[in-house]
Amino acid sequence: MPMASVPLDKILAQGTTYTTHEREAWIIKKLGTDSSTRGYVKIDGKETTYIHTTAAPIHKTSSNLLGPIDLGSLRLIVPPETDIVWNGASGSVLRVIGTKLILAPGED
């Protein structure tokens, strides 16, 4: 059982590598982007989840009421000490929404 769980709502810049901390895991439930071309999330070097702003915008707007796409029962899990990268259009960002688990010492 994790020591704590907190909401996760983070913006990832295109081409930047983010690494979870030693005792931190992410459970990603929703994704949104401003990428005008199809992009994908890379977790631990593996391509996952192709998305585009038309189907998964960062925010709901008057011209696109969809908002970030809900992954349903298909979650993206980023374990401790693991890299996550957004590969989309140049200068684009990815919004990840879910839960951040803070693990107790000794938990894996």
Side-chain angles (χ1 to χ4, degrees), residues 31 39-41 47-51 69 71 76 86:
L31 296 171
Y40 60 90
V41 180
E47 293 179 15
T48 68
T49 321
Y50 290 86
I51 65 169
I69 192 166
L71 301 175
L76 294 179
W86 164 241

Side-chain angles (χ1 to χ4, degrees), residues 7-35:
L8 172 68
D9 192 345
K10 186 169 181 70
I11 301 290
L12 308 180
Q14 187 275 332
T16 302
T17 301
Y18 298 85
T19 305
T20 52
H21 294 280
E22 179 182 9
R23 293 182 15 225
E24 171 185 284
W26 295 359
I27 301 172
I28 301 171
K29 300 173 183 176
K30 293 182 180 183
L31 296 171
T33 185
D34 64 353
S35 180

